[in-house]
Amino acid sequence: MKEEKTDFVIKAYGLQELALLYFPSNTPGSAAGQLKKWLTVNKKLMAELEQADYYSGQRLFTPRQIAIIIEHLGPP
């Protein structure tokens, strides 16, 4: 299996900024809504994010939270 190479950098990202990387053809609001849906339906991902101090309504993901998201969803 060939490993996919990506230029994605783990750093702090705003919700809409990250969402648009996953859903580039969506509007910022629609992309953010879709990403939040992905996060909430994945119970294991949400539990790990909450352990990393994520809270509902948070608009900026920390680098640690981004690493957790990438671990579960893959890079955008």
Side-chain angles (χ1 to χ4, degrees):
M1 185 160 97
K2 186 177 178 185
E3 190 171 316
E4 192 174 315
K5 198 168 191 178
T6 181
D7 293 332
F8 184 76
V9 176
I10 293 181
K11 62 176 187 143
Y13 284 91
L15 172 64
Q16 288 187 347
E17 179 185 14
L18 181 63
L20 284 170
L21 292 174
Y22 278 103
F23 307 101
S25 61
N26 289 21
T27 64
S30 175
Q34 185 63 43
L35 181 59
K36 286 194 284 188
K37 183 187 280 187
W38 276 15
L39 298 179
T40 56
V41 299
N42 188 327
K43 300 300 181 196
K44 186 173 180 185
L45 167 56
M46 185 53 71
E48 287 186 37
L49 284 174
E50 288 171 350
Q51 287 178 351
D53 298 324
Y54 172 81
Y55 58 90
S56 180
Q58 182 174 323
R59 294 287 184 208
L60 185 67
F61 293 105
T62 67
R64 180 175 170 212
Q65 292 166 347
I66 293 294
I68 292 167
I69 292 168
I70 298 306
E71 180 182 318
H72 287 268
L73 303 180

